[in-house]
Structure formats: C-alpha cells, structure tokens
Amino acid sequence: MSTEVISVGSTDSLWDAERIFKINHLRHAPVMEEGELVGMLSLLDLQAHLPEEKDVSSIDGKEMMVSRIMATNPIAIQA
C-alpha cells in the first residue's frame, strides 16, 4: 500500500472519477465525504455505469454521482 492515498468524493461525477482513475492508474479508490470514509469505488463498477458515449445531457445529474454506485459501509482498520 502506498502512503499517499488517492480518493474520490461522494459528490464527484462519474466522469471526474473516471479521470482520477485513469491519471493515477487505479482499480479501487476510497470515497470520502467531509473527511470521513463513506464508501469504496471500483473501476469495474465505474465502467459498468458509464455509458459508451459521454452525452451528459442524456443522463440525470443525480445518477452521475459517485455516491449512487459506490459500495457503502466500508470496514476501515488502523495500521
């Protein structure tokens, strides 16, 4: 595990999350809300929910948020 943790926000769009995953070569990322861990997002879940064409006008903004597809209630342990 690296010491620098790259996370996404629960209110980030799926497009923003996809960009963060690509830039940082991620397969999973913690989802944060107000400094607290609230979920986990996987690349497979992200890809499954992104349409082939990035026509934002055809998708409800609410459905585009990370909080809609993240795994909730993560278990966190201290090292």
Side-chain angles (χ1 to χ4, degrees):
M1 184 173 130
S2 69
T3 55
E4 180 184 350
V5 177
I6 298 167
S7 63
V8 296
S10 62
T11 58
D12 288 350
S13 73
L14 298 188
W15 309 130
D16 289 340
E18 179 188 37
R19 186 175 40 86
I20 291 168
F21 272 61
K22 280 185 180 179
I23 290 169
N24 296 288
H25 308 287
L26 300 177
R27 291 183 8 199
H28 300 88
V31 180
M32 307 297 286
E33 188 175 291
E34 297 179 12
E36 296 291 322
L37 177 66
V38 294
M40 289 294 294
L41 182 64
S42 76
L43 180 58
L44 290 176
D45 288 338
L46 183 59
Q47 290 172 337
H49 288 86
L50 284 172
E52 294 292 322
E53 298 293 323
K54 293 186 178 179
D55 181 10
V56 177
S57 64
S58 68
I59 302 170
D60 179 24
K62 203 174 203 183
E63 292 179 350
M64 291 177 53
M65 291 173 48
V66 167
S67 62
R68 299 279 295 184
I69 67 168
M70 69 183 187
T72 57
N73 301 320
I75 297 171
I77 57 172
Q78 297 293 325

